[in-house]
Amino acid sequence: MATIEFITKEDLKQFRADLLQDLKEALRKPKLLESNKEWLKSYEVREILKISPSTLQTLRVNGTIPYSKIGGLMYYKNDDIKSLLEGNLS
């Protein structure tokens, strides 16, 4: 015999909150790649790639991601990040 599961109003509210959060996150991240910004800061690259600061540092050190350093800030070309994601950057 099949069991019946009930969905409460609280279940629906939680589902709605989770769905909205997921949609906000999904819509926010691609805008960084599609933006007209030529250069991205480290935090933006970490958000796009979903990586930690230490992983980004490793990618810089081993030459996977080209960057420019101005003062104490690292900048990355948006096109290089796109190429990396598409598998076209060596």
Side-chain angles (χ1 to χ4, degrees):
M1 181 149 191
T3 59
I4 298 174
E5 293 184 29
F6 293 97
I7 298 174
T8 65
K9 285 185 180 182
E10 192 57 42
D11 292 336
L12 290 173
K13 285 180 184 178
Q14 185 60 47
F15 175 75
R16 179 180 179 271
D18 292 345
L19 181 60
L20 286 173
Q21 182 61 36
D22 290 346
L23 287 172
K24 285 178 186 177
E25 190 172 324
L27 292 173
R28 187 182 91 234
K29 291 184 180 178
K31 288 183 181 178
L32 290 173
L33 284 176
E34 295 171 5
S35 74
N36 291 329
K37 290 175 69 172
E38 183 175 356
W39 294 92
L40 301 171
K41 292 182 179 178
S42 293
Y43 79 91
E44 294 170 312
V45 174
R46 290 194 318 265
E47 282 183 14
I48 291 167
L49 300 178
K50 298 181 183 176
I51 59 174
S52 68
S54 60
T55 301
L56 183 56
Q57 180 180 5
T58 300
L59 294 173
R60 280 195 312 264
V61 169
N62 68 22
T64 302
I65 297 180
Y67 68 97
S68 293
K69 183 176 181 180
I70 301 174
L73 298 175
M74 308 290 185
Y75 293 93
Y76 308 82
K77 279 193 168 185
N78 199 345
D79 288 341
D80 288 342
I81 303 305
K82 288 177 188 176
S83 294
L84 178 67
L85 289 172
E86 293 166 357
N88 298 327
L89 195 61
S90 23

